[in-house]
Amino acid sequence: MPTQTPEYPQCEGPIIERLKNLGWEYRRGVEVLEDEREPLLITRLKRAIVRINGVSASEAERVINILRTTSFGVEGSRRVLEYLKEGVPLRDEETGEPKRVLLIDYENIGNNEFLVANQVGYPFRTKIPDLVLYINSIPVVLIECKRLKGDWKRAYRQIKCYEKEMPELFKYVQFSIAAGDRVVYFPNVPWLEDVPVYEWKGENFDDLDNIMEPLTPINFLDMLRYFIFYREDKGTITKVLPRYMQFRATNKIVERAIDYARGETERNRGLIWHWQGSGKTLTMIFSAYKIKRLLGNPTIFFIVDRQELEEQLAGELKSIGLSFEIVGSIEHLKGVLTHSNGKRGIFVTLIHKFREEELKDLRRELERESRRRKTIMNRRDVVAFIDEGHRTQYGELASTMRSILKNASFFAFTGTPIAKKHRDTYATFGYRDEPYLDRYFILDSIRDGFTVKITYQARLEEDVHLKKEDLEAFLTSKLEEMPEEYRGKVKEKVKKRLNAIKVFLKNPKRIEMIAEDIAKHYRENVEPFKAMVVAVDREACVLYKRALDRFLPSEYSEVVMTFNRDDPEIIQEYFHELTRRYRTKDQGEIREEIVKRFKRKETPKILIVTDMLLTGFDAPILQTMYLDKPLKEHRLLQAIARTNRPFIKNDENVKAFGLIVDYVGIFKELKRALAIYDEADIKGVAYDMERIKRELREKMEKALSLFDGPELRKDRETIMKAVLILFQKDKGEEFQKLYREIRSYYKLLREDKTEFREVFSWLTEVYYAYNAKVNGLDPEVEEKMDKFFREALKFIHEAVDIGKLRQDFPIVELDEEFLRKIMMARNRERAFYDLLFAVRHYVNTHRGPLTADLVEQVESIVERWKSRTEEVERLYQELFEIAEKIQRRNRERKELGLSELEYALVMVLKRHVKAKTRELIVDVKELLSETETLRFPRWQEKAEVVSELSRIIMKLIVRKYRGRYDDLMKTREDVLEVLKRWG
């Protein structure tokens, strides 16, 4: 029978049963672990290597030795992933020829051994992960289980601790699963404090059933081989895992491209409709990589329509180590198309390189050659991935591209397809019975937390909005969809038609009125998030900059746009000002620097744009868009989606939703402007503020329901009663999360907050009292933990009296004076609460050698108190003894003049060695001095350092205490464990 932990019936056991049903063999950890210091199951692995490769036992041993001696850390982990994918490089013992010995048989899944073991003790049996999944006896996935009421973050944090404590294990483990109230998966990157976490959504109600999809043997091997990469970004190495919609879409694309290339189907195109922010770029890269591996040596084009997208895509390909070429010129493109039968490999190009006048002779030549031999024109193993497929796939450029890549397969990616005459994304890339190959749209993205809701609010309607007929005139023109540099070619009468509208929109008095409103709204409702102003054209951008500078510090705002030689004087003057400030005339460098500062620095806080950054711009800190430009259809959707990225701080999304402030009247026309989509498709594109208020009311009602009909008084007894209810019901974390959502909504609704003020103020009192009492955090300290929230303190002070809170819920010191007051307290139940919170806070925030053995005792008391299984008086006595023990240890440590680490080592030696305390103190100081150079940051991850430290400890024990210790090996291991955890 498996070891029964509290988590077993709710999490560990159900996972084991589900894995067994998928074909995983189950064993207990004690049955499979041959050496508690060795993560590999050596005997089984050796058999698997021989079975899969037909090599000798000695060659299998050489392979295992290579794995074992591969260092952990960045380079070692990257190498292990390569070994898992490609095999281990080895020289044949008979011929001396280089070869690859496979660790996994990807072609014959049944030739592999899939094993799940629970309660696997590493190392020295002191660390016991709940579940480890092995492929051919190599640990590849770790699962940590909590009960359904348990926060998944506790499991996540536990695994992050395991990474530091068991580095040898995590050079093999590729990703982990934290299961509790939610089930999340994440890449194992031990050198990073935090990594992204994902949920695998599926058709099932139970998340445990959904997470089984990537753990199905065929899917897991697929993920391991084609979807997991190490990625280098700005000097940081991380690991890429697929999200569920990326995995799903990639495999649909790959299946179609491969079947078409092999002549098994005539369908050679597909539309992938994924909402902004869902990771389309990585989906393209996963697809290209897998197609390249399966087809051997195809030709793959990534086709984009903007240089910044080309640079972004090239950066992604480079970051995960894929080889590719950027097609830098039309001559370069011609070389790729005519090289032999078409150059093989991955190519990134702008669609503008496919100009008919430049390529018509080449096309005719290819048509002639294709009659007698294989060329790029008649090959079926050519794949084109079209980024933003709704934009440029209907004109001459696309026609020329398709006439040359005549037999290629085409896959278009868009967040906003178009369905209208002459510009129909569905018809161009889909089929009548299959308008899109895969779809992941707005509501999916919001539900999964990859994007946030978008809300809209009209302001200054009577003063600055366009009249309905003027708005319609603008929206029906083609002018606003064209890049600025091409607009001169538009017919003169269309320009005249719009002049009156632009004169209205660019009226300096109107812009000044809006700028004043923006400045007030930004400071009161948006800061410390950031914002974007969308103006009607480039001249309007400069006018907005000048106007905003009158109401905000000049460093708050910056313009991002192109500059031309024949620009009006107002634009040229501004460009000269920019070149002086940024000390360069290269406008590309200036734009790059502005965007970089917007994303990473304090200022600028507001970007002013007209065309640039309305697509493909990803800045999570951007929360509000001030819209003063009529946009329509996909352009409107793409623009407002700039505000929809979550902003994660301290593991929480602190941005409840993005806000669009409408100064032009466009949202009156939202349904008409988006009539090209089905009602279901545009549901959730943007929410009116009234709907957000309704949601805020619902969240507040849910929060109040946790307290059983509370009175909203702010006296100590009422607040204390609320805190106790949260603690006893185990609803603290749920309440805190709910409160943070309420806080985000309430802050955005600042100008409409009267209705919500009383409830919000009371919930705020409870929130900070709970933190002060249970978590032991001063409310201002909690807010200042993250620099981002320093602005929020002003807001919090409005809702709660911080001074009174400190007085009623002080952060107590667990000293003799406090214990004396507790003993004298007449109300024993009240004394118990105060002592419980104080002791629990102490052992949780003073995690170290002095409290390590007390944590479980305190939590046991908490559980017994919550379940009312014992009298408070008895629990009080037990708790008081723990508090006194803490005091004795602190007092003795101070009297001896020792650090916590020195004191802990002395206490460990006292348990095993017959010697006086003073002698042990001298020896401990000698040990720490001798090992000081070895105990550098993260020394525990270096096997050779751990081994050397173990040797030094052994020598010291034998030399100092010969004949006076009880168990030499146990003494050494206990001393080493203290050093590993706290040294």
Side-chain angles (χ1 to χ4, degrees), residues 334 354-368 377 400 403-404:
K334 288 178 179 178
F354 286 91
R355 289 210 281 271
E356 170 64 15
E357 60 270 26
E358 300 281 356
L359 297 178
K360 60 184 177 183
D361 292 339
L362 178 144
R363 187 182 68 248
R364 289 172 187 150
E365 178 62 26
L366 283 173
E367 285 171 348
R368 283 195 297 272
M377 189 174 276
T400 302
S403 67
I404 292 172

Side-chain angles (χ1 to χ4, degrees), residues 536-638:
V536 70
D537 63 16
R538 294 181 304 126
E539 188 176 349
C541 287
V542 178
L543 291 171
Y544 263 110
K545 169 64 178 165
R546 300 299 186 213
L548 282 172
D549 284 354
R550 288 194 281 277
F551 302 107
L552 293 170
S554 61
E555 65 271 15
Y556 267 45
S557 62
E558 200 65 277
V559 177
V560 178
M561 66 184 193
T562 54
F563 297 91
N564 305 317
R565 288 183 181 177
D566 57 351
D567 280 335
E569 187 176 346
I570 184 174
I571 296 178
Q572 289 196 30
E573 283 179 2
Y574 185 71
F575 180 62
H576 293 321
E577 179 187 315
L578 273 179
T579 59
R580 286 194 298 273
R581 276 199 284 127
Y582 287 93
R583 299 179 181 178
T584 177
K585 291 187 176 181
D586 186 321
Q587 56 177 294
E589 288 181 14
I590 294 172
R591 284 198 299 269
E592 190 177 328
E593 180 62 22
I594 291 171
V595 168
K596 185 170 75 175
R597 290 183 185 181
F598 182 79
K599 289 181 177 181
R600 301 180 196 170
K601 305 286 187 184
E602 185 71 15
T603 57
K605 296 173 183 284
I606 301 171
L607 294 183
I608 306 166
V609 306
T610 182
D611 281 318
M612 284 196 156
L613 308 186
L614 292 188
T615 59
F617 180 60
D618 190 356
I621 199 169
L622 172 62
Q623 190 244 18
T624 298
M625 176 178 284
Y626 298 105
L627 188 60
D628 192 28
K629 177 177 183 174
L631 297 170
K632 66 176 179 178
E633 298 167 359
H634 61 281
R635 292 263 297 164
L636 177 59
L637 276 182
Q638 286 187 309

